[in-house]
Amino acid sequence: MSARPRVVVLGGGFAGLEGCFYARWKLGERAELTLVSDTDHFVFRPNTIYIPFGAPPEKFLIPLEEPTRKGNIRFIRSSVRGVDPDRRVVELEQGPVEYDYLLIATGADMRPDEIPGLREHGITPWTIDDMLRIRDALQQTAQRAKEGKHTQFVFVIPPNNRCSGPLYELVLMIDTWLRREGIRDQVSLVWTTVEEGYIQAFGPRLNTVVEEEFSERGIEGHRGWVVSHVEPGKVHYTNGEAVAFDYLLCFPPYVAARRYELLPVDERGFLQVESDSRRVQGREREFAAGDAANFPIKQAFLALLQADAAADHIAADVAGEQPSVRFEPMSMCIMEEMNKATFATVPLRYTDDPLKPVTVDEERAGEYRVGVSPLWRVGKKILGVYLPWRFSHAQPFHAGLAWDAMDLGLKVLSKVLAK
Ligand SMILES: Cc1cc2nc3c(=O)[nH]c(=O)nc-3n(C[C@H](O)[C@H](O)[C@H](O)COP(=O)(O)OP(=O)(O)OC[C@H]3O[C@@H](n4cnc5c(N)ncnc54)[C@H](O)[C@@H]3O)c2cc1C
């Protein structure tokens, strides 16, 4: 190892930035930090759901140059090609970089081609451009309504999707938007999901919330429908059903954004890690966090928790101390509906069922809290300010006095507005 250990972080998303800033916060200048990303900005993806309704896309981007400079972190803008763990070298498009500790956080990607016809005929909400396509669809729907024409939107959650929540946000937000535009009765919203329960990963209470919302809002919902293929204007399911659409919004199946051939990965390229530490299985110095790793639910909040655990283990190794943070699978989400929002904290545990690898942890039932209120929209807005503020100042989300205050505020709100 060189005089100061070299910690290299791959990926400038939630897990990468949190891991980088947490390591700097914990270690000070005792390590050399390098961040590699193929883009020069961070995308606050959870809040891109506001773009279809008029929010400017640039509002959700944080340039990486300034926070990395503030954190004394070397920033390399380049695409990662692979990792040679035995030589401790990352292969970048622009050449090799050596490391002593590596945190891989290159995230997930979507693979629409697993569903024939989806790429050609559907919208797959993932990038800012996709959100702008939904904005166009809504504008065209308003125009069609003026001309007395009916429009049908169909929403699809397919197998191997790992984060269904945002599509639920979009259908509920679109419903609210159509009502505000006074054109809801000229639009049908049809929801189909492979899940047995709505937002299945988050347990029965979220299913009930969505059932009630769908029934109140007149959204037609179908659970246990598996999409098979899409043709122009019609989506087909393995149960023989077919639904016509003017617009199809489908979250495609997930795969790892980059497959690391020399490290243990599952069939979709997600890195196999030890649960507590996020250390890559069978390796000493390589860690993975966020969507790139094999936790079955892909979520920003979980990505941050994983990055904290990984960075804490790296920092402890460097400092010759015991790690103090381990990854505990506890999800937290605020689901926007535009007139109100649903808040949930969901303690999760692993199962042996490959079709349902995590479930709500009944032993921690007291921590399973759900609440629906317009005030939760304020909570979502505060998180939307807090996280960019922390990252812009090279500070981790989950650390220090600011997080203690934020955490306390969420706990108080949750006591009053959730049960
Ligand atoms: C529309 C939408 C809404 C969402 N809403 C929520 C929400 O409300 N709450 C929530 O918790 N989660 C939400 N999610 C999920 C959340 O966005 C992801 O779980 C989160 O972004 C994962 O963080 P990450 O750091 O692992 O990956 P990412 O944020 O995807 O970051 C990966 C980084 O790696 C970089 N990268 C990728 N490949 C390479 C390469 N080869 N070389 C170099 N760099 C590379 C990328 O450019 C990026 O900077 C939402 C997702 C979507 C699509």
Side-chain angles (χ1 to χ4, degrees), residues 22 30 44 69 96 122 126 165 234 275 317 401:
Y22 187 101
R30 277 180 288 171
F44 193 170
R69 188 171 39 75
W126 180 249
K234 199 175 260 187
S275 179
D317 246 36
L401 285 176

Side-chain angles (χ1 to χ4, degrees), residues 201-216:
F202 293 166
R205 297 184 59 192
L206 266 296
N207 177 56
T208 307
V209 166
V210 174
E211 254 174 5
E212 287 170 3
E213 287 294 330
F214 279 12
S215 142
E216 230 173 72

Side-chain angles (χ1 to χ4, degrees), residues 10-16 36-39 41-43 45-49 78-81 105-108 110 125-126 131 163 166 169 251 254 257-258 260 289-292 298-303 332-334 380:
L10 308 181
F14 286 88
V36 179
S37 180
D38 58 359
T39 57
H41 53 263
F42 164 81
V43 182
R45 197 172 278 136
N47 282 15
T48 60
I49 52 164
S78 185
S79 183
V80 179
R81 287 194 171 147
T106 36
M110 296 216 168
W126 180 249
M131 294 300 175
C163 173
E169 290 186 295
F251 252 9
Y254 268 53
R258 163 63 54 184
Y260 296 92
D291 286 6
K298 310 291 181 197
Q299 223 207 354
F301 188 75
L302 290 165
M332 196 267 275
C333 65
I334 302 181
K380 181 130 183 148

